[in-house]
Amino acid sequence: MIPLPPLAPPGVLTDEAPACDVACFPTPAQYVDLVAAFKADGFEMCVDVCGVDYLEHFDRALPEGVTPTRFEVVANLLSLSKKRRVRVRVQAGSESPRVDSLFHLYPGTEAPERETFDMFGILFDGHPDLTRILMPEDWEGHPLRKDYGVGHIPIQFKEAPGPR
Amino acid sequence: MSDNSRVAERPDRLTGETSEGAQELVQRLDTSRDELGREVGAVLRLDGVTLDPSEVDYERHDDETMIINMGPAHPSTHGVLRLMLELDGEFVLRTKVVIGYLHTGMEKTGETLSYVQGATNVTRMDYLSPVINELSYSLTVERLLGVDVPARATWIRMLMSELNRVSSHLVWMATNGMDLGSTSMMIYGLRERELILAFFEKTAGLRLNLNYVRPGGVAADLPDGWEDDIEVICNTIEERTYEYDQLLTGQPIFRNRLIGVGAITAEEALALCLTGPLLRSTGVPWDLRRSMPYLAYDQVDFDVIVGTYGDNFDRYAIRLNEIRESIRIIRQCVEKMPAGDYRSQDPKVTPPPRARIGESMEALIHHFKLFTEGFHVPAGEVYSAVESPRGEIGCYMVADGGPKPYRIHVRAPSFTNLQAMPLLMRGASVSDAITMISTVDPVLGEVDR
């Protein structure tokens, strides 16, 4: 079995991941506690936070006991001292995705969490400045959601009358 | 009239609960004390710090300070970076980085491209180190596929990434020199980079967005006589780095502009998740090439350059010396370059040679399948990271068994490194702010993706 840090909340499920030592599947309630436990265990850096919209894949491979939801938040932790990575995948919810922010553990997650909010509309409780970061502030919708089309710009000259 | 199909169901609730409207720096009187404290960097002192009220200049009136925009079209912001600065006279009190002007939805585009086409997409993110972007993408796809790459391809990839690292650092030397008023450095840096770009053109056919490293190997073998070209490139650039020493490193004005300016500590750098030269300048010896070796970096001899003070001069010195270390690696690559295939011979991943298409039915089928549909990648999710000139560039990919990635996310080093900006800028003068932007070395194509 994969080792979890000593302070981890009980009942966190883990799984072997192909290119990462550990993938953990906490519930949203366990999420921050688990990351805090990893931090206490020497994971100094949270290199990345990103979201995934599994709209078409509720049947994806997850360990026994994890209820798949539409949105998933993936935090990549890195330990410089142990030279190890850990991926924390939390099921963020389907209708109103929402997890706690890691900002108070790792201030460097501020921009990645804002990006995840901007792209997926996942709310991060406790984030100091949850505003759009890449899209214009009056943009409607969250572009990386799977039900948001790639879109196209109507080309005017296609329909417009020619010179002759 | 707006096209409704492009707009996802808008959760009105979001606008109620977040301040989606204000990306910008707000007036001091409208800013909460906690947020002002955040600007001071109190959160970075970590573990149960309470904000010391005396550190926050809460009482200051707005008419004493001024909020100005630097960018997004400012020549010294290295692209379309916009900084909102609150100034007290010439000194910066608060900074807010506003990005997104170059956002073209490349992660969304990546979901519509097959795995072979995907390399052309990621190569355009960090346009100064395209090979390394392709490398992180290709390594991720190969991990999902479980394809073995031939030894020669691995060494060619190393050779090309190090050349790319040199060219990226040369552009940095050039623009940094320009920002500090040394226009000759601008010309010299771009002149030397031209040697490398010419070699890229000879090898891959293109100068900038190469699409050279692909899942399964590289696009083409090295050209005839490449050893001689590399020899000339290495000798010339190595010799010229000593000229840069004379031009810049020992130059009193240059030193005074850099030494002691914009210092950060290792704790702050770790808390802000900085990587690359920014982290190494604070004395943390973290280089993925050494710490978590990929390709064949465990078989070459090189030093990880580490700074002491975390100031601008350390970051300059690290990049200059990394050029020399990269040249060391390139020379070893030339020495140890194995013979063999430059791409995997797995017909499911690599298209057959052109000549075989006319002779073999299987070759024709594979060729047709690869270029119409692309290969299928088994379901799974993978994160893999490599060291780019700016730090850790990672690729998180979710595959669902189809010919296109279900989700592709690029962990861009400049995007995260930009978070250091408010901390670096605090208390500095506007002229030093230019230096700070330069030594963080953001590439906006990668920041905004």
Side-chain angles (χ1 to χ4, degrees):
Chain A
M1 202 57 207
I2 303 152
L4 278 175
L7 297 172
V12 174
L13 297 161
T14 60
D15 193 9
E16 289 280 358
C20 189
D21 296 278
V22 185
C24 303
F25 298 85
T27 61
Q30 294 167 333
Y31 174 51
V32 172
D33 290 343
L34 177 69
V35 175
F38 271 120
K39 192 184 175 193
D41 196 34
F43 284 78
E44 297 95 342
M45 213 189 262
C46 177
V47 284
D48 192 24
V49 174
C50 71
V52 186
D53 177 3
Y54 281 107
L55 180 63
E56 296 147 27
H57 290 286
F58 278 92
D59 56 343
R60 62 192 181 270
L62 287 172
E64 200 81 5
V66 179
T67 323
T69 60
R70 180 178 164 186
F71 292 101
E72 203 174 279
V73 171
V74 185
N76 270 299
L77 308 182
L78 171 67
S79 171
L80 275 61
S81 44
K82 300 179 187 191
K83 300 186 178 171
R84 274 182 53 201
R85 289 180 192 280
V86 154
R87 197 152 62 229
V88 179
R89 294 170 64 185
V90 55
Q91 307 296 316
S94 296
E95 291 307 312
S96 49
R98 171 162 220 153
V99 291
D100 289 327
S101 169
L102 298 181
F103 177 77
H104 295 284
L105 293 167
Y106 299 104
T109 57
E110 197 230 334
E113 282 183 351
R114 265 177 81 189
E115 188 197 340
T116 310
F117 160 72
D118 192 0
M119 293 294 146
F120 291 95
I122 299 172
L123 294 178
F124 289 90
D125 283 323
H127 190 284
D129 179 27
L130 202 60
T131 53
R132 289 199 180 270
I133 185 166
L134 294 180
M135 303 303 288
E137 39 199 41
D138 54 353
W139 193 265
E140 291 194 7
H142 299 281
L144 277 179
R145 288 189 173 195
K146 284 286 173 181
D147 53 2
Y148 190 97
V150 177
H152 62 279
I153 300 165
I155 304 165
Q156 204 189 359
F157 55 73
K158 230 175 168 182
E159 304 295 357
R164 274 173 287 170
Chain B
M1 219 179 85
S2 71
D3 182 6
N4 278 332
S5 64
R6 295 188 59 200
V7 181
E9 34 102 29
R10 178 177 173 96
D12 288 314
R13 154 187 66 72
L14 286 181
T15 31
E17 291 183 49
T18 66
S19 54
E20 238 181 307
Q23 293 180 41
E24 302 189 339
L25 190 65
V26 290
Q27 295 287 333
R28 184 164 277 266
L29 286 182
D30 299 332
T31 311
S32 73
R33 210 177 74 182
D34 276 350
E35 198 179 326
L36 283 175
R38 199 160 68 81
E39 305 280 354
V40 184
V43 288
L44 300 179
R45 261 161 269 144
L46 307 168
D47 292 336
V49 212
T50 45
L51 187 56
D52 182 0
S54 66
E55 286 189 2
V56 182
D57 201 355
Y58 193 52
E59 300 294 318
R60 188 190 288 265
H61 287 294
D62 279 340
D63 50 2
E64 295 173 24
T65 66
M66 177 168 63
I67 293 181
I68 65 152
N69 273 309
M70 181 185 271
H74 192 282
S76 292
T77 54
H78 293 208
V80 280
L81 175 67
R82 173 177 166 207
L83 295 172
M84 297 194 72
L85 308 172
E86 188 189 40
L87 299 181
D88 179 13
E90 208 204 336
F91 293 95
V92 181
L93 295 174
R94 292 187 294 151
T95 310
K96 180 139 186 181
V97 184
V98 184
I99 57 175
Y101 293 94
L102 211 55
H103 179 63
T104 46
M106 294 174 106
E107 289 180 4
K108 187 88 176 168
T109 312
E111 293 170 5
T112 66
L113 299 174
S114 73
Y115 288 97
V116 184
Q117 293 168 331
T120 59
N121 185 36
V122 290
T123 191
R124 280 155 176 82
M125 288 181 180
D126 181 352
Y127 41 78
L128 291 183
S129 56
V131 175
I132 295 167
N133 281 12
E134 294 158 18
L135 180 65
S136 93
Y137 172 84
S138 301
L139 287 178
T140 315
V141 176
E142 281 155 14
R143 260 184 187 154
L144 280 164
L145 274 172
V147 167
D148 280 330
V149 175
R152 186 175 173 86
T154 304
W155 285 83
I156 293 180
R157 285 176 173 189
M158 257 170 73
L159 174 79
M160 294 293 271
S161 347
E162 290 311 314
L163 281 172
N164 205 172
R165 194 182 313 277
V166 173
S167 80
S168 171
H169 281 334
L170 283 171
V171 174
W172 180 82
M173 297 281 296
T175 49
N176 183 57
M178 186 74 174
D179 288 340
L180 290 166
S182 165
T183 42
S184 18
M185 188 61 231
M186 181 77 184
I187 295 161
Y188 295 159
L190 293 180
R191 179 187 65 184
E192 266 70 282
R193 176 188 183 232
E194 201 56 36
L195 293 170
I196 296 177
L197 293 189
F199 182 74
F200 281 175
E201 190 177 8
K202 204 171 171 184
T203 312
L206 294 164
R207 284 156 53 85
L208 285 176
N209 300 124
L210 303 180
N211 190 18
Y212 182 67
V213 180
R214 295 179 188 178
V218 293
D221 208 346
L222 294 169
D224 290 342
W226 62 275
E227 293 99 336
D228 302 336
D229 293 342
I230 299 283
E231 183 68 22
V232 172
I233 291 173
C234 288
N235 290 345
T236 316
I237 293 179
E238 191 175 38
E239 189 191 315
R240 300 233 168 111
T241 54
Y242 295 102
E243 289 176 16
Y244 304 159
D245 269 343
Q246 286 179 1
L247 180 71
L248 297 177
T249 316
Q251 217 259 6
I253 300 175
F254 186 78
R255 288 177 80 88
N256 288 340
R257 286 292 304 275
L258 291 184
I259 292 179
V261 177
I264 49 171
T265 66
E267 287 75 33
E268 287 164 344
L270 286 175
L272 285 170
C273 304
L274 310 182
T275 47
L278 249 77
L279 177 62
R280 287 195 286 277
S281 73
T282 64
V284 181
W286 184 257
D287 185 327
L288 289 176
R289 292 177 293 171
R290 168 64 53 81
S291 318
M292 298 173 123
Y294 52 97
L295 297 181
Y297 279 109
D298 46 354
Q299 296 167 39
V300 289
D301 189 27
F302 67 98
D303 291 330
V304 174
I305 313 290
V306 173
T308 314
Y309 304 103
D311 61 355
N312 281 338
F313 189 77
D314 272 357
R315 295 193 272 274
Y316 161 78
I318 284 175
R319 290 194 175 101
L320 179 59
N321 285 301
E322 275 185 5
I323 295 180
R324 293 174 182 146
E325 290 306 317
S326 287
I327 288 175
R328 248 175 95 188
I329 300 178
I330 293 169
R331 290 205 165 115
Q332 294 173 59
C333 287
V334 176
E335 244 170 60
K336 299 186 180 176
M337 182 67 71
D341 284 327
Y342 61 91
R343 57 185 182 179
S344 156
Q345 285 306 312
D346 188 341
K348 297 284 177 216
V349 181
T350 308
R354 194 76 215 175
R356 292 219 10 101
I357 297 174
E359 301 164 358
S360 153
M361 192 63 197
E362 278 73 35
L364 183 64
I365 293 171
H366 284 308
H367 185 271
F368 181 73
K369 283 291 271 185
L370 271 176
F371 285 102
T372 49
E373 191 185 17
F375 50 82
H376 289 244
V377 168
E381 40 102 49
V382 151
Y383 177 84
S384 67
V386 300
E387 184 79 21
S388 99
R390 276 154 278 282
E392 170 177 333
I393 179 161
C395 186
Y396 180 68
M397 191 180 285
V398 180
D400 62 350
K404 290 170 185 171
Y406 186 70
R407 162 102 168 100
I408 168 169
H409 172 73
V410 172
R411 188 262 184 214
S414 321
F415 178 70
T416 323
N417 286 355
L418 268 183
Q419 294 181 101
M421 214 57 115
L423 185 71
L424 287 172
M425 297 278 227
R426 204 186 135 71
S429 68
V430 178
S431 55
D432 285 339
I434 305 283
T435 331
M436 242 76 93
I437 300 170
S438 170
T439 56
V440 169
D441 190 18
V443 169
L444 270 293
E446 170 184 71
V447 171
D448 294 341
R449 279 160 289 147

